[in-house]
Each structure stands twice: as C-alpha cells, then as structure tokens.
C-alpha cells in the first residue's frame, strides 16, 4: 500500500506540473471545449503510459547506454512541439463552423505529443528508475504503476483542459482570442526550451 501511495504521489506531481501536453490541453479546452479535448487527453494519456511500459520492460537500458538516441529524441520532439507553439501563437479567431471544429487535436496527435515530448521520457525514465531494483521493475509493480499513472494522468490533463474551458468564456472577442493564443504559444515554446536544456 505504501508503494502504491508513493507511485500515486509521483504520478500526481509529475502529471499536474506545467508541460507541453498540459498547455496544449488548456489551449484546446479554451478554443474547442472539453468534449472536443477528450481525444487529445486520451491519446496523451495512452502515449505516456505506453512510454512507461516499454521503458519498464527493458528499453531503459538502451537509453541509458545511448546518448545519441536521447539527443535525437530531444531534437525531434522539441522541433515538433515548437512547430505546434508557432501554430497556436499565429492562430486567429474564426467563425464557429465545421472547419474550426475539425481543428481540435485527434487522439493520434495527443499520443504523438507525448512520444515526441522530452518531458514525458524524462519523467518515465525517472519513474522506472525510482521504483526499480537494480534497474529492473517487477512486472506486477510495472502494471500497478501503469494503471495508477493512467488514472492520475487523465485526471490531471483534464484539469488543465477544464481550466482552458473556464478561460474560453472570455475569448469571444477576436483580440482576446489572439492575445490568449499568443501568450499560450509563447509559454509552450518556453516550456519546450526549458525541458530541452534540462534533459541535456
């Protein structure tokens, strides 16, 4: 029980902290509403848990032994997330038509955001290391950790999306909409740069 509580606390602190996926959830919640954000939330949650599982099953040794693999992931992930930051910052208010509705992130895009998110890999590596013995985490512990992280991660990303939904009520004016997206795009870019240098 103590182990599960420690896992839950680790998951809560790391999932609730600001990061690219949470910021994108806030932006999507504000611009599209919570229901349209669910695919992003679900995809991001699946993406993170899948990273946790494959690292726990042994891929962690490949990352520990290959600085090149880590660097390639950091560059690709950071470039992708900076592109998303640019798209967010330059978006403008449009009429609530079918085209705008289709702009909400898909489940695959949510998953991809995690797989190309340096923070997700850093947190997963830390989690597997903390709860492993001699670099190996028992399968039953990995299974419990994955279930706990799925629940906590989904709830935390949802919290950020609901925050965006609350903010979205004040974005009816085009100037407010543009200002919000530029601020959030800039914040996303700063977060990506910060995580990139932390992971060096």
């Amino acid at each position: 029980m103590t182990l599960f509580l420690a896992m839950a606390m680790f998951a809560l602190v790391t999932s609730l902290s600001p990061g690219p996926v949470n910021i994108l959830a806030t932006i999507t919640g504000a611009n599209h509403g919570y229901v349209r954000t669910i695919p992003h939330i679900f995809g991001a949650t699946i993406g993170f848990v899948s990273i946790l599982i494959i690292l726990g099953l042994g891929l962690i040794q490949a990352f520990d032994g290959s600085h090149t693999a880590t660097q390639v992931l950091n560059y690709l992930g950071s470039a992708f997330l900076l592109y998303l930051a640019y798209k967010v910052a330059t978006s403008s208010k449009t009429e609530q038509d079918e085209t705008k509705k289709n702009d909400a992130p898909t489940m695959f895009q949510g998953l991809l955001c995690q797989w190309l998110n340096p923070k997700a890999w850093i947190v997963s590596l830390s989690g597997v290391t903390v709860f492993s013995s001699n670099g190996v985490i028992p399968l039953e512990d990995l299974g419990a950790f994955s279930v706990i992280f799925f629940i906590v991660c989904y709830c935390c990303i949802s919290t950020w999306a609901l925050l965006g939904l609350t903010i979205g009520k004040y974005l009816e004016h085009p100037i407010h909409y543009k200002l919000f997206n530029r601020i959030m795009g800039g914040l996303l870019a700063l977060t990506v740069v910060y995580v990139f240098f932390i992971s060096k």
Side-chain angles (χ1 to χ4, degrees), residues 62-130:
F63 275 86
D64 284 343
S66 177
H67 182 67
T68 302
T70 305
Q71 287 293 91
V72 168
L73 176 66
N74 285 339
Y75 282 113
L76 287 176
S78 296
F80 173 71
L81 292 170
L82 286 173
Y83 167 75
L84 290 180
Y86 168 77
K87 293 289 287 183
V88 168
T90 56
S91 64
S92 59
K93 183 74 172 174
T94 59
E95 294 184 7
Q96 302 289 327
D97 56 12
E98 193 63 28
T99 302
K100 184 173 186 293
K101 288 183 181 179
N102 290 335
D103 285 341
T106 64
M107 186 175 75
F108 176 73
Q109 288 171 329
L111 187 146
L112 193 62
C113 279
Q114 287 288 33
W115 273 81
L116 294 176
N117 178 11
K119 180 192 172 187
W121 289 89
I122 294 169
V123 170
S124 297
L125 284 167
S126 300
V128 171
T129 302
V130 167

Side-chain angles (χ1 to χ4, degrees), residues 136-149:
V136 177
I137 183 169
L139 285 179
E140 57 271 21
D141 289 349
L142 178 61
F145 198 21
S146 299
V147 171
I148 290 169
F149 234 119

Side-chain angles (χ1 to χ4, degrees), residues 8-69:
M9 290 302 298
F10 180 88
L12 178 64
V13 171
T14 54
S15 297
L16 197 57
S17 61
V21 171
N22 287 338
I23 292 173
L24 284 171
T26 305
I27 295 166
T28 307
N31 293 336
H32 301 281
Y34 180 76
V35 174
R36 298 288 300 175
T37 311
I38 289 176
H40 168 77
I41 297 170
F42 189 73
T45 303
I46 291 290
F48 182 87
V49 172
S50 64
I51 294 171
L52 187 68
I53 291 173
I54 66 168
L55 288 177
L57 290 177
L59 189 63
I60 189 171
Q61 282 80 12
F63 275 86
D64 284 343
S66 177
H67 182 67
T68 302

